[in-house]
Amino acid sequence: MVETRPSICRNCLAFCPIIVTLDDDARVVSVVGDPASDGFEAYTCPKGRAIPDQLRDPARLLTSMKMTEAGRHEPISSATAVSEVASALRRIVDEHGPDAVAMYIGTGTQQHTFGPKAGAALLKALGSTLVFSAATVDKPAEKTSLALHGNWQAGGQRFEDADTWMLVGANPVIAKSNGLPYNNPARRLTDAVRRGMKLIVIDPRRTETARQAAVHLQVQPGEDPALLAGLIHIILANDLYDHAFVAENADGLAALRAAVRPFTPANVAARTGVTQEQLIEAAHVFAQAKRGGVVCATGPSFSLNADLTFYLALCLNTLCGRWTRAGEPAPYVNVLLPAHTPRAQPLAPYPAVGGRRFRSSDYQQNASGLPTAALPNEILMPGEEKIRALICIGGNPVSAWPEQGKVEEALRDLDLLVTIDTHRSATAELAHYVIAPPMALEVPGTTHNVEYLKYLGVSRGYQRPWAQYTPAIARRPEGSDLIEEHAFFYGLAAELGLPMELTVPHAMGPYAESPPTRIVFEPGYVPSLEEVFEHAFAHSRVPFAEVKRHPHGHVFPVETIVQPRDPACSAMLQIGAPLMMQQLATIAEPHSCVDGDGSEFPFRLISRRANAYMNSVGIDLAKLNRQMRGNPLFMNPADMAGLGLHAGERTKVRSKHGEINAIVEADTSLREGCVAMWHGFGTGSSERTPGSNVNRLLSLDDHDSLTGMPRLSAVPVAIYAASEAEPGLVDA
Ligand SMILES: Nc1nc2c(c(=O)[nH]1)N[C@H]1C(S)=C(S)[C@@H](COP(=O)(O)OP(=O)(O)OC[C@H]3O[C@@H](n4cnc5c(=O)[nH]c(N)nc54)[C@H](O)[C@@H]3O)O[C@H]1N2
Ligand SMILES: Nc1nc2c(c(=O)[nH]1)N[C@H]1C(S)=C(S)[C@@H](COP(=O)(O)OP(=O)(O)OC[C@H]3O[C@@H](n4cnc5c(=O)[nH]c(N)nc54)[C@H](O)[C@@H]3O)O[C@H]1N2
Ligand code: SF4
Ligand SMILES: [Mo]
């Protein structure tokens, strides 16, 4: 007998509602979108539909592993792994102090929302301050720019009634990330365009999203700050800004006006490769619409001067008054997080940097956290502050961090590398202990993490009060010994005799209206995830029991109207922050955003994401990568002709920092002079899927100064034929 159950896909942050068919043994047979769910239209992507294959992947770890003296992995019971890792941590902390231990939280943890929180609680109990995450190799400028500019307490204007929308280096139709509502973004965009919304896309590629654009500015990569400064120049020169809103809510207009003066349409057109007419059209479409918003994503975040790009986007929003006003429905209403009171008022700027500094470079703690790109050098550098133990949770540094060679060297240098991973990832291969957790559908889950996203940047998450809970519905594989991530950390705490306090914030950073919920169980007790949920959602806006009554998810009737400004509020947004105005002056010289005259490295390598893969997840799953092919080098046919290259040919891609092989694929959507590759491939091991690791072309030292965000896009490269090279494999 087969059974169908509603649940939540947890392969990306869209958390699509799904219907799972189970066989007699509660094994997952198929996954489809849930037609009963409100506003997702039964949408799933290939990654969601591949869940049955993911669960049964022969490469999946069914037990934890320990590295032997001979350097091989052998199975180990989870109980023994907990006690051995606890002793190793105790030894390292006793000898070198708590900050010899660090943690890295990657993107593979979203199904285990409380795993990272339990990890952070353990580190705190040990006395370590070193919790790093993928956020600082993603879009740290989202947070530093908000710190410099301030935020609007009620949030940005809603996409669903916007007349215009501007996306800078975002492709949410594929990524279901920044820029469009997460529930079936392609459909949301089509609906909006049909009702007359004008989309402006700034992207070197004519992406799946850009195809719907009224104006597509096919920018030269890395020139986003100049382009946005140019749009602001036009808006100010033509007096298109919202005088009343700016006068009431923002300081710094004169400084901004002076700083954008050199960015005339002619200057900006010359360096960005966008025509003056297009610039003028985009500025007018954006400023003259009634409602809208600008959103930046990884494109500009990866391309240096990211703080400035994200900051200028916030300035554009403020100049045009693109924030929700009193009396309007609030764009994001909590369901599983506690109620909040949206007010039409600024949240004043706060420090963008401060806290811990690092030895190895000019890296420092900033509003987005600790700079992850500092870790390899902090591990390798001798001295008292050397990091000697790293616990990775759902992350794959060997694949995801720049300068793969150095990352591997650093991980090999550790006294203790522990990684919690469903697979023997490239990072797991180097680990002393690989801890095997259950996968989504084998554990309960909720959508609550999406509700936090609104505090991290403009227009993120669901714009409706949607929430869903799912119990664990699938049985774990026969003969497996898996340990939930939070249970691993509670187990370590029990072994070490340390107290665990789980901290569940009600909002992020300065936006919290009430202190976080602190969850403390009896010392030594390992709670179930369900128990953690009951405590974590004790103060939710909609009672957790009510959320549970809607197994297909629900848009809860909790519309919240934005309140007027508090008479006591004197906060102002800042659109002329001195640090940003200085950066504008630095880039005012054309070609200062991109390097050199381009003769040695004439192409710009840019980032992009694949619909079938989630970073490195899925690349070696036959259902998602049928031909087990690597990551091609996408190139405009005109550029291919210029180099005499043909589709399917082997090439070498060379940067200042390294060289990789790749197979050319023609792509007319790319701007000439730009090439693109997916990341996540190429782990250096011949057993794995072919493909090259783009991070071999990058450098940890090539980074933004405020956040330490390394350059992952707009990378100067040279391309040449390499008929002798092995197809798609990394040069050892
Ligand atoms: N299917 C799928 N979904 C994912 C992921 C995945 O790997 N696959 N990854 C998830 C993660 S971790 C994240 S952070 C999000 C990311 O989500 P997005 O930030 O939307 O990522 P992309 O889809 O790569 O879109 C980035 C766009 O920036 C453009 N770009 C590159 N360089 C520049 C530049 O210098 N300037 C400008 N203006 N544009 C540029 C690229 O052409 C690309 O279209 O997606 C998440 N969702
Ligand atoms: N060149 C280049 N570099 C990049 C990027 C780029 O676009 N180009 N993108 C950057 C961005 S935006 C990000 S966010 C980072 C991503 O950086 P990471 O998150 O470190 O990289 P992933 O490849 O997503 O690693 C996820 C790991 O989680 C594991 N995993 C999957 N499911 C589970 C689970 O249920 N539990 C546990 N514990 N583990 C699981 C997977 O097997 C995988 O090893 O990479 C960054 N690096
Ligand atoms: S977009 Fe795809 S991977 Fe993301 S939640 Fe939906 S089905 Fe899952
Ligand atoms: Mo990311």
Side-chain angles (χ1 to χ4, degrees), residues 603 608 632-643 645 651 663-677 718-720:
F603 291 92
R608 69 180 282 187
L633 175 75
F634 296 102
M635 200 170 192
N636 187 296
D639 288 329
M640 287 166 59
L643 293 179
L645 287 170
T651 58
I663 296 189
V664 177
E665 188 164 315
D667 184 353
T668 51
S669 72
L670 273 165
R671 184 193 152 85
E672 282 179 42
C674 289
V675 292
M677 283 180 88
I719 314 285
Y720 54 98

PDB file of all heavy atoms in Angstrom, residues 603 608 632-643 645 651 663-677 718-720:
ATOM      1  N   PHE A 603      39.337  38.504 -20.803  1.00  0.00           N
ATOM      2  CA  PHE A 603      37.946  38.129 -20.492  1.00  0.00           C
ATOM      3  C   PHE A 603      37.642  38.344 -19.013  1.00  0.00           C
ATOM      4  O   PHE A 603      38.549  38.410 -18.185  1.00  0.00           O
ATOM      5  CB  PHE A 603      37.697  36.663 -20.857  1.00  0.00           C
ATOM      6  CG  PHE A 603      37.706  36.412 -22.332  1.00  0.00           C
ATOM      7  CD1 PHE A 603      38.888  36.035 -22.972  1.00  0.00           C
ATOM      8  CD2 PHE A 603      36.552  36.571 -23.082  1.00  0.00           C
ATOM      9  CE1 PHE A 603      38.908  35.820 -24.340  1.00  0.00           C
ATOM     10  CE2 PHE A 603      36.573  36.362 -24.456  1.00  0.00           C
ATOM     11  CZ  PHE A 603      37.753  35.992 -25.087  1.00  0.00           C
ATOM     12  N   ARG A 608      27.555  32.090 -11.958  1.00  0.00           N
ATOM     13  CA  ARG A 608      26.144  31.825 -12.264  1.00  0.00           C
ATOM     14  C   ARG A 608      25.749  30.534 -11.561  1.00  0.00           C
ATOM     15  O   ARG A 608      26.608  29.765 -11.148  1.00  0.00           O
ATOM     16  CB  ARG A 608      25.893  31.717 -13.774  1.00  0.00           C
ATOM     17  CG  ARG A 608      26.485  30.494 -14.423  1.00  0.00           C
ATOM     18  CD  ARG A 608      26.213  30.446 -15.911  1.00  0.00           C
ATOM     19  NE  ARG A 608      24.855  30.016 -16.233  1.00  0.00           N
ATOM     20  CZ  ARG A 608      24.460  29.778 -17.485  1.00  0.00           C
ATOM     21  NH1 ARG A 608      25.283  29.947 -18.505  1.00  0.00           N
ATOM     22  NH2 ARG A 608      23.235  29.381 -17.724  1.00  0.00           N
ATOM     23  N   PRO A 632      30.776  23.411 -17.759  1.00  0.00           N
ATOM     24  CA  PRO A 632      31.330  23.981 -18.989  1.00  0.00           C
ATOM     25  C   PRO A 632      31.777  25.430 -18.810  1.00  0.00           C
ATOM     26  O   PRO A 632      31.397  26.087 -17.835  1.00  0.00           O
ATOM     27  CB  PRO A 632      30.163  23.911 -19.967  1.00  0.00           C
ATOM     28  CG  PRO A 632      28.952  23.671 -19.172  1.00  0.00           C
ATOM     29  CD  PRO A 632      29.338  23.198 -17.821  1.00  0.00           C
ATOM     30  N   LEU A 633      32.573  25.878 -19.750  1.00  0.00           N
ATOM     31  CA  LEU A 633      32.907  27.304 -19.834  1.00  0.00           C
ATOM     32  C   LEU A 633      31.908  27.906 -20.818  1.00  0.00           C
ATOM     33  O   LEU A 633      31.966  27.636 -22.026  1.00  0.00           O
ATOM     34  CB  LEU A 633      34.336  27.475 -20.357  1.00  0.00           C
ATOM     35  CG  LEU A 633      34.766  28.920 -20.612  1.00  0.00           C
ATOM     36  CD1 LEU A 633      35.045  29.627 -19.284  1.00  0.00           C
ATOM     37  CD2 LEU A 633      36.010  28.976 -21.496  1.00  0.00           C
ATOM     38  N   PHE A 634      30.951  28.686 -20.317  1.00  0.00           N
ATOM     39  CA  PHE A 634      29.961  29.315 -21.194  1.00  0.00           C
ATOM     40  C   PHE A 634      30.596  30.538 -21.841  1.00  0.00           C
ATOM     41  O   PHE A 634      31.217  31.362 -21.165  1.00  0.00           O
ATOM     42  CB  PHE A 634      28.725  29.736 -20.392  1.00  0.00           C
ATOM     43  CG  PHE A 634      27.965  28.584 -19.792  1.00  0.00           C
ATOM     44  CD1 PHE A 634      28.094  28.274 -18.450  1.00  0.00           C
ATOM     45  CD2 PHE A 634      27.121  27.810 -20.578  1.00  0.00           C
ATOM     46  CE1 PHE A 634      27.394  27.210 -17.889  1.00  0.00           C
ATOM     47  CE2 PHE A 634      26.415  26.744 -20.028  1.00  0.00           C
ATOM     48  CZ  PHE A 634      26.561  26.447 -18.682  1.00  0.00           C
ATOM     49  N   MET A 635      30.391  30.651 -23.160  1.00  0.00           N
ATOM     50  CA  MET A 635      31.074  31.710 -23.898  1.00  0.00           C
ATOM     51  C   MET A 635      30.195  32.178 -25.048  1.00  0.00           C
ATOM     52  O   MET A 635      29.518  31.368 -25.686  1.00  0.00           O
ATOM     53  CB  MET A 635      32.372  31.105 -24.450  1.00  0.00           C
ATOM     54  CG  MET A 635      33.414  32.101 -24.823  1.00  0.00           C
ATOM     55  SD  MET A 635      34.968  31.226 -25.164  1.00  0.00           S
ATOM     56  CE  MET A 635      36.048  32.620 -25.209  1.00  0.00           C
ATOM     57  N   ASN A 636      30.227  33.468 -25.294  1.00  0.00           N
ATOM     58  CA  ASN A 636      29.471  34.015 -26.426  1.00  0.00           C
ATOM     59  C   ASN A 636      30.087  33.502 -27.746  1.00  0.00           C
ATOM     60  O   ASN A 636      31.305  33.491 -27.895  1.00  0.00           O
ATOM     61  CB  ASN A 636      29.535  35.548 -26.354  1.00  0.00           C
ATOM     62  CG  ASN A 636      28.641  36.174 -27.383  1.00  0.00           C
ATOM     63  OD1 ASN A 636      28.862  36.018 -28.590  1.00  0.00           O
ATOM     64  ND2 ASN A 636      27.627  36.882 -26.930  1.00  0.00           N
ATOM     65  N   PRO A 637      29.236  33.067 -28.699  1.00  0.00           N
ATOM     66  CA  PRO A 637      29.759  32.529 -29.966  1.00  0.00           C
ATOM     67  C   PRO A 637      30.697  33.502 -30.686  1.00  0.00           C
ATOM     68  O   PRO A 637      31.652  33.057 -31.355  1.00  0.00           O
ATOM     69  CB  PRO A 637      28.505  32.270 -30.794  1.00  0.00           C
ATOM     70  CG  PRO A 637      27.406  32.114 -29.794  1.00  0.00           C
ATOM     71  CD  PRO A 637      27.769  32.971 -28.624  1.00  0.00           C
ATOM     72  N   ALA A 638      30.471  34.808 -30.535  1.00  0.00           N
ATOM     73  CA  ALA A 638      31.359  35.770 -31.201  1.00  0.00           C
ATOM     74  C   ALA A 638      32.770  35.681 -30.605  1.00  0.00           C
ATOM     75  O   ALA A 638      33.773  35.731 -31.333  1.00  0.00           O
ATOM     76  CB  ALA A 638      30.812  37.191 -31.050  1.00  0.00           C
ATOM     77  N   ASP A 639      32.846  35.519 -29.300  1.00  0.00           N
ATOM     78  CA  ASP A 639      34.147  35.355 -28.650  1.00  0.00           C
ATOM     79  C   ASP A 639      34.797  34.039 -29.060  1.00  0.00           C
ATOM     80  O   ASP A 639      36.019  33.956 -29.255  1.00  0.00           O
ATOM     81  CB  ASP A 639      34.008  35.399 -27.124  1.00  0.00           C
ATOM     82  CG  ASP A 639      33.715  36.799 -26.609  1.00  0.00           C
ATOM     83  OD1 ASP A 639      34.175  37.771 -27.247  1.00  0.00           O
ATOM     84  OD2 ASP A 639      33.032  36.921 -25.569  1.00  0.00           O
ATOM     85  N   MET A 640      33.974  32.992 -29.171  1.00  0.00           N
ATOM     86  CA  MET A 640      34.508  31.692 -29.591  1.00  0.00           C
ATOM     87  C   MET A 640      35.115  31.813 -30.986  1.00  0.00           C
ATOM     88  O   MET A 640      36.228  31.336 -31.234  1.00  0.00           O
ATOM     89  CB  MET A 640      33.395  30.637 -29.604  1.00  0.00           C
ATOM     90  CG  MET A 640      32.963  30.211 -28.204  1.00  0.00           C
ATOM     91  SD  MET A 640      31.414  29.282 -28.196  1.00  0.00           S
ATOM     92  CE  MET A 640      31.817  27.901 -29.253  1.00  0.00           C
ATOM     93  N   ALA A 641      34.383  32.487 -31.867  1.00  0.00           N
ATOM     94  CA  ALA A 641      34.880  32.655 -33.237  1.00  0.00           C
ATOM     95  C   ALA A 641      36.193  33.436 -33.218  1.00  0.00           C
ATOM     96  O   ALA A 641      37.152  33.088 -33.931  1.00  0.00           O
ATOM     97  CB  ALA A 641      33.830  33.369 -34.078  1.00  0.00           C
ATOM     98  N   GLY A 642      36.260  34.461 -32.376  1.00  0.00           N
ATOM     99  CA  GLY A 642      37.473  35.269 -32.280  1.00  0.00           C
ATOM    100  C   GLY A 642      38.691  34.446 -31.897  1.00  0.00           C
ATOM    101  O   GLY A 642      39.817  34.724 -32.323  1.00  0.00           O
ATOM    102  N   LEU A 643      38.476  33.403 -31.084  1.00  0.00           N
ATOM    103  CA  LEU A 643      39.592  32.558 -30.643  1.00  0.00           C
ATOM    104  C   LEU A 643      39.693  31.282 -31.477  1.00  0.00           C
ATOM    105  O   LEU A 643      40.527  30.419 -31.200  1.00  0.00           O
ATOM    106  CB  LEU A 643      39.410  32.173 -29.172  1.00  0.00           C
ATOM    107  CG  LEU A 643      39.502  33.288 -28.135  1.00  0.00           C
ATOM    108  CD1 LEU A 643      39.284  32.730 -26.738  1.00  0.00           C
ATOM    109  CD2 LEU A 643      40.842  34.000 -28.193  1.00  0.00           C
ATOM    110  N   LEU A 645      37.526  28.879 -31.452  1.00  0.00           N
ATOM    111  CA  LEU A 645      37.075  27.750 -30.625  1.00  0.00           C
ATOM    112  C   LEU A 645      35.712  27.255 -31.099  1.00  0.00           C
ATOM    113  O   LEU A 645      34.912  28.039 -31.607  1.00  0.00           O
ATOM    114  CB  LEU A 645      36.938  28.190 -29.168  1.00  0.00           C
ATOM    115  CG  LEU A 645      38.217  28.423 -28.381  1.00  0.00           C
ATOM    116  CD1 LEU A 645      37.893  29.084 -27.048  1.00  0.00           C
ATOM    117  CD2 LEU A 645      38.945  27.104 -28.155  1.00  0.00           C
ATOM    118  N   THR A 651      39.511  23.735 -23.392  1.00  0.00           N
ATOM    119  CA  THR A 651      40.226  25.002 -23.268  1.00  0.00           C
ATOM    120  C   THR A 651      40.919  25.055 -21.918  1.00  0.00           C
ATOM    121  O   THR A 651      40.632  24.249 -21.026  1.00  0.00           O
ATOM    122  CB  THR A 651      39.270  26.208 -23.285  1.00  0.00           C
ATOM    123  OG1 THR A 651      38.360  26.037 -22.213  1.00  0.00           O
ATOM    124  CG2 THR A 651      38.553  26.362 -24.579  1.00  0.00           C
ATOM    125  N   ILE A 663      35.487  22.749 -20.833  1.00  0.00           N
ATOM    126  CA  ILE A 663      34.984  22.488 -22.185  1.00  0.00           C
ATOM    127  C   ILE A 663      34.033  23.614 -22.566  1.00  0.00           C
ATOM    128  O   ILE A 663      33.155  23.977 -21.784  1.00  0.00           O
ATOM    129  CB  ILE A 663      34.294  21.114 -22.220  1.00  0.00           C
ATOM    130  CG1 ILE A 663      35.371  20.075 -21.912  1.00  0.00           C
ATOM    131  CG2 ILE A 663      33.613  20.876 -23.554  1.00  0.00           C
ATOM    132  CD1 ILE A 663      34.989  18.663 -22.079  1.00  0.00           C
ATOM    133  N   VAL A 664      34.235  24.140 -23.762  1.00  0.00           N
ATOM    134  CA  VAL A 664      33.480  25.325 -24.181  1.00  0.00           C
ATOM    135  C   VAL A 664      32.043  24.971 -24.530  1.00  0.00           C
ATOM    136  O   VAL A 664      31.790  23.956 -25.179  1.00  0.00           O
ATOM    137  CB  VAL A 664      34.126  25.963 -25.431  1.00  0.00           C
ATOM    138  CG1 VAL A 664      33.294  27.143 -25.916  1.00  0.00           C
ATOM    139  CG2 VAL A 664      35.523  26.404 -25.129  1.00  0.00           C
ATOM    140  N   GLU A 665      31.133  25.823 -24.093  1.00  0.00           N
ATOM    141  CA  GLU A 665      29.730  25.699 -24.507  1.00  0.00           C
ATOM    142  C   GLU A 665      29.264  27.076 -24.987  1.00  0.00           C
ATOM    143  O   GLU A 665      29.447  28.072 -24.273  1.00  0.00           O
ATOM    144  CB  GLU A 665      28.897  25.215 -23.325  1.00  0.00           C
ATOM    145  CG  GLU A 665      27.482  24.878 -23.732  1.00  0.00           C
ATOM    146  CD  GLU A 665      26.766  24.042 -22.677  1.00  0.00           C
ATOM    147  OE1 GLU A 665      27.349  23.079 -22.148  1.00  0.00           O
ATOM    148  OE2 GLU A 665      25.606  24.397 -22.385  1.00  0.00           O
ATOM    149  N   ALA A 666      28.663  27.101 -26.176  1.00  0.00           N
ATOM    150  CA  ALA A 666      28.205  28.390 -26.720  1.00  0.00           C
ATOM    151  C   ALA A 666      27.019  28.901 -25.918  1.00  0.00           C
ATOM    152  O   ALA A 666      26.134  28.136 -25.547  1.00  0.00           O
ATOM    153  CB  ALA A 666      27.805  28.214 -28.185  1.00  0.00           C
ATOM    154  N   ASP A 667      27.013  30.191 -25.625  1.00  0.00           N
ATOM    155  CA  ASP A 667      25.922  30.786 -24.849  1.00  0.00           C
ATOM    156  C   ASP A 667      25.698  32.220 -25.327  1.00  0.00           C
ATOM    157  O   ASP A 667      26.437  33.137 -24.978  1.00  0.00           O
ATOM    158  CB  ASP A 667      26.292  30.751 -23.358  1.00  0.00           C
ATOM    159  CG  ASP A 667      25.167  31.273 -22.476  1.00  0.00           C
ATOM    160  OD1 ASP A 667      24.165  31.780 -23.026  1.00  0.00           O
ATOM    161  OD2 ASP A 667      25.301  31.183 -21.244  1.00  0.00           O
ATOM    162  N   THR A 668      24.645  32.381 -26.131  1.00  0.00           N
ATOM    163  CA  THR A 668      24.386  33.702 -26.703  1.00  0.00           C
ATOM    164  C   THR A 668      23.877  34.683 -25.651  1.00  0.00           C
ATOM    165  O   THR A 668      23.801  35.883 -25.898  1.00  0.00           O
ATOM    166  CB  THR A 668      23.321  33.622 -27.820  1.00  0.00           C
ATOM    167  OG1 THR A 668      22.198  32.912 -27.284  1.00  0.00           O
ATOM    168  CG2 THR A 668      23.823  32.898 -29.052  1.00  0.00           C
ATOM    169  N   SER A 669      23.508  34.186 -24.462  1.00  0.00           N
ATOM    170  CA  SER A 669      22.961  35.095 -23.448  1.00  0.00           C
ATOM    171  C   SER A 669      24.053  35.926 -22.784  1.00  0.00           C
ATOM    172  O   SER A 669      23.762  36.889 -22.088  1.00  0.00           O
ATOM    173  CB  SER A 669      22.190  34.303 -22.389  1.00  0.00           C
ATOM    174  OG  SER A 669      23.080  33.573 -21.577  1.00  0.00           O
ATOM    175  N   LEU A 670      25.310  35.560 -22.996  1.00  0.00           N
ATOM    176  CA  LEU A 670      26.401  36.284 -22.325  1.00  0.00           C
ATOM    177  C   LEU A 670      26.841  37.504 -23.103  1.00  0.00           C
ATOM    178  O   LEU A 670      26.919  37.481 -24.338  1.00  0.00           O
ATOM    179  CB  LEU A 670      27.617  35.364 -22.186  1.00  0.00           C
ATOM    180  CG  LEU A 670      27.663  34.482 -20.956  1.00  0.00           C
ATOM    181  CD1 LEU A 670      28.710  33.396 -21.143  1.00  0.00           C
ATOM    182  CD2 LEU A 670      27.967  35.298 -19.708  1.00  0.00           C
ATOM    183  N   ARG A 671      27.162  38.533 -22.385  1.00  0.00           N
ATOM    184  CA  ARG A 671      27.784  39.697 -22.985  1.00  0.00           C
ATOM    185  C   ARG A 671      29.134  39.284 -23.582  1.00  0.00           C
ATOM    186  O   ARG A 671      29.849  38.467 -23.001  1.00  0.00           O
ATOM    187  CB  ARG A 671      28.021  40.704 -21.845  1.00  0.00           C
ATOM    188  CG  ARG A 671      28.566  42.022 -22.239  1.00  0.00           C
ATOM    189  CD  ARG A 671      29.036  42.759 -20.969  1.00  0.00           C
ATOM    190  NE  ARG A 671      30.102  43.644 -21.363  1.00  0.00           N
ATOM    191  CZ  ARG A 671      29.895  44.858 -21.839  1.00  0.00           C
ATOM    192  NH1 ARG A 671      28.691  45.364 -21.887  1.00  0.00           N
ATOM    193  NH2 ARG A 671      30.897  45.591 -22.252  1.00  0.00           N
ATOM    194  N   GLU A 672      29.484  39.839 -24.714  1.00  0.00           N
ATOM    195  CA  GLU A 672      30.793  39.527 -25.289  1.00  0.00           C
ATOM    196  C   GLU A 672      31.886  39.957 -24.323  1.00  0.00           C
ATOM    197  O   GLU A 672      31.764  40.970 -23.637  1.00  0.00           O
ATOM    198  CB  GLU A 672      30.977  40.241 -26.631  1.00  0.00           C
ATOM    199  CG  GLU A 672      30.233  39.535 -27.758  1.00  0.00           C
ATOM    200  CD  GLU A 672      30.399  40.246 -29.098  1.00  0.00           C
ATOM    201  OE1 GLU A 672      31.526  40.684 -29.404  1.00  0.00           O
ATOM    202  OE2 GLU A 672      29.388  40.367 -29.808  1.00  0.00           O
ATOM    203  N   GLY A 673      32.933  39.160 -24.249  1.00  0.00           N
ATOM    204  CA  GLY A 673      34.023  39.476 -23.322  1.00  0.00           C
ATOM    205  C   GLY A 673      33.826  38.869 -21.948  1.00  0.00           C
ATOM    206  O   GLY A 673      34.720  38.923 -21.115  1.00  0.00           O
ATOM    207  N   CYS A 674      32.621  38.298 -21.718  1.00  0.00           N
ATOM    208  CA  CYS A 674      32.358  37.637 -20.427  1.00  0.00           C
ATOM    209  C   CYS A 674      32.268  36.139 -20.650  1.00  0.00           C
ATOM    210  O   CYS A 674      31.634  35.701 -21.600  1.00  0.00           O
ATOM    211  CB  CYS A 674      31.006  38.049 -19.861  1.00  0.00           C
ATOM    212  SG  CYS A 674      30.982  39.722 -19.302  1.00  0.00           S
ATOM    213  N   VAL A 675      32.838  35.376 -19.749  1.00  0.00           N
ATOM    214  CA  VAL A 675      32.640  33.933 -19.743  1.00  0.00           C
ATOM    215  C   VAL A 675      32.088  33.569 -18.370  1.00  0.00           C
ATOM    216  O   VAL A 675      32.301  34.302 -17.407  1.00  0.00           O
ATOM    217  CB  VAL A 675      33.946  33.175 -20.037  1.00  0.00           C
ATOM    218  CG1 VAL A 675      34.391  33.396 -21.475  1.00  0.00           C
ATOM    219  CG2 VAL A 675      35.057  33.571 -19.058  1.00  0.00           C
ATOM    220  N   ALA A 676      31.375  32.443 -18.294  1.00  0.00           N
ATOM    221  CA  ALA A 676      30.764  32.070 -17.002  1.00  0.00           C
ATOM    222  C   ALA A 676      30.979  30.594 -16.738  1.00  0.00           C
ATOM    223  O   ALA A 676      31.045  29.779 -17.667  1.00  0.00           O
ATOM    224  CB  ALA A 676      29.268  32.382 -17.016  1.00  0.00           C
ATOM    225  N   MET A 677      31.112  30.262 -15.451  1.00  0.00           N
ATOM    226  CA  MET A 677      31.190  28.846 -15.041  1.00  0.00           C
ATOM    227  C   MET A 677      30.413  28.660 -13.745  1.00  0.00           C
ATOM    228  O   MET A 677      30.356  29.566 -12.919  1.00  0.00           O
ATOM    229  CB  MET A 677      32.651  28.424 -14.799  1.00  0.00           C
ATOM    230  CG  MET A 677      33.419  28.167 -16.077  1.00  0.00           C
ATOM    231  SD  MET A 677      35.137  27.682 -15.752  1.00  0.00           S
ATOM    232  CE  MET A 677      34.973  25.909 -15.588  1.00  0.00           C
ATOM    233  N   ALA A 718      42.300  34.726 -19.061  1.00  0.00           N
ATOM    234  CA  ALA A 718      42.619  34.489 -20.472  1.00  0.00           C
ATOM    235  C   ALA A 718      42.124  33.085 -20.818  1.00  0.00           C
ATOM    236  O   ALA A 718      42.098  32.206 -19.960  1.00  0.00           O
ATOM    237  CB  ALA A 718      44.121  34.573 -20.682  1.00  0.00           C
ATOM    238  N   ILE A 719      41.699  32.913 -22.078  1.00  0.00           N
ATOM    239  CA  ILE A 719      41.180  31.609 -22.518  1.00  0.00           C
ATOM    240  C   ILE A 719      42.031  31.163 -23.696  1.00  0.00           C
ATOM    241  O   ILE A 719      42.282  31.959 -24.599  1.00  0.00           O
ATOM    242  CB  ILE A 719      39.733  31.733 -23.046  1.00  0.00           C
ATOM    243  CG1 ILE A 719      38.858  32.576 -22.128  1.00  0.00           C
ATOM    244  CG2 ILE A 719      39.124  30.370 -23.353  1.00  0.00           C
ATOM    245  CD1 ILE A 719      38.415  31.935 -20.885  1.00  0.00           C
ATOM    246  N   TYR A 720      42.446  29.911 -23.704  1.00  0.00           N
ATOM    247  CA  TYR A 720      43.112  29.427 -24.906  1.00  0.00           C
ATOM    248  C   TYR A 720      42.862  27.937 -25.105  1.00  0.00           C
ATOM    249  O   TYR A 720      42.518  27.227 -24.156  1.00  0.00           O
ATOM    250  CB  TYR A 720      44.598  29.760 -24.894  1.00  0.00           C
ATOM    251  CG  TYR A 720      45.343  29.292 -23.678  1.00  0.00           C
ATOM    252  CD1 TYR A 720      46.061  28.110 -23.709  1.00  0.00           C
ATOM    253  CD2 TYR A 720      45.324  30.035 -22.498  1.00  0.00           C
ATOM    254  CE1 TYR A 720      46.729  27.675 -22.592  1.00  0.00           C
ATOM    255  CE2 TYR A 720      45.990  29.599 -21.378  1.00  0.00           C
ATOM    256  CZ  TYR A 720      46.692  28.415 -21.422  1.00  0.00           C
ATOM    257  OH  TYR A 720      47.345  27.978 -20.310  1.00  0.00           O
TER     258      TYR A 720
END
